[in-house]
Amino acid sequence: MGKLVCTVELDKEKGVTVKVENADDQITQTVVMDGTSITITVKGSEETSTYVQKQDSVTITCKDFTVDATGTLTLKSAKASSWASQDILKVESTKDMTFTSSAKLTQSATQDAKLSSNAKVAIEAATNLDLKGMQTSFTASAGDNKIEGVNLKMSGKAQAELAAPMIKVAAQAKLGLESSGMADLKGSMTSVGGSLVKLG
């Protein structure tokens, strides 16, 4: 690197301007303190980054921005906060991660959304829990698939099917099977039994 050109300008109206020019690398560094703000500018042949500090704000404009803390990093806002990315946004933790809201929490995606875990997943609501979709499926790759409730209701607007190599329907009190249309009960061997059986 060749020699640098360094200048300091003092002006009662414009303030203080410190400039360092690196002609070989085509980089100019400028610090301007005008009495209301401090502006640091690094201008190169391809990119320019700026840091502007006022009494109530700090604005950083650059191509790449990196914060590297070997200890704790805390970001806190007394009012609304916004974090937006026009490309991929990745949040990663090697240990536990927590998302907490004292009010509503909304998560949405315009394309596919996936929630997965190599261990257990628990979804819990203190009041109503709604799961909706144009087509839904509940699959247990191993073990039981259980649906429990004080009252259990299953209905289909067009058709309902229950299929398995073996099906058992049991009621500790009354069991009612009813159809407003035709009802068929078929099997290679069919048995009907009870202490009192009434047909017709």
Side-chain angles (χ1 to χ4, degrees):
M1 184 175 63
K3 293 184 178 180
L4 303 176
V5 179
C6 304
T7 58
V8 177
E9 298 179 5
L10 304 178
D11 190 292
K12 292 184 177 180
E13 294 182 356
K14 296 181 180 180
V16 178
T17 300
V18 179
K19 183 182 292 186
V20 178
E21 295 180 87
N22 179 358
D24 291 345
D25 294 330
Q26 296 181 315
I27 296 176
T28 301
Q29 300 169 318
T30 307
V31 179
V32 178
M33 294 177 285
D34 59 6
T36 59
S37 64
I38 300 174
T39 302
I40 301 175
T41 304
V42 179
K43 180 178 177 57
S45 59
E46 297 180 357
E47 301 290 342
T48 300
S49 63
T50 59
Y51 171 97
V52 180
Q53 180 177 1
K54 299 180 180 180
Q55 63 175 345
D56 58 352
S57 66
V58 174
T59 302
I60 300 175
T61 304
C62 62
K63 180 180 179 181
D64 296 316
F65 182 71
T66 302
V67 177
D68 190 353
T70 58
T72 302
L73 175 63
T74 302
L75 301 176
K76 186 176 181 181
S77 172
K79 293 187 178 181
S81 299
S82 177
W83 192 346
S85 174
Q86 296 180 356
D87 207 318
I88 297 174
L89 176 61
K90 183 178 180 180
V91 180
E92 184 177 348
S93 174
T94 57
K95 293 187 178 180
D96 294 346
M97 180 182 293
T98 303
F99 289 95
T100 304
S101 174
S102 299
K104 293 182 179 180
L105 175 62
T106 302
Q107 291 180 299
S108 63
T110 56
Q111 297 186 24
D112 293 347
K114 182 179 180 180
L115 174 64
S116 64
S117 173
N118 292 330
K120 295 181 179 179
V121 175
I123 301 176
E124 183 177 347
T127 56
N128 294 346
L129 175 63
D130 295 329
L131 300 175
K132 296 180 181 179
M134 293 184 63
Q135 185 174 355
T136 59
S137 62
F138 297 90
T139 305
S141 59
D144 297 337
N145 195 339
K146 296 182 179 180
I147 301 177
E148 298 180 2
V150 176
N151 294 316
L152 180 61
K153 296 181 180 180
M154 294 191 299
S155 63
K157 293 183 178 180
Q159 185 175 345
E161 295 183 4
L162 179 62
M166 181 181 295
I167 297 176
K168 179 181 179 181
V169 179
Q172 295 179 352
K174 181 180 179 181
L175 174 63
L177 299 174
E178 183 178 346
S179 173
S180 58
M182 182 182 295
D184 293 330
L185 179 61
K186 297 180 181 180
S188 57
M189 183 173 65
T190 305
S191 62
V192 179
S195 58
L196 176 63
V197 178
K198 181 181 179 181
L199 300 175

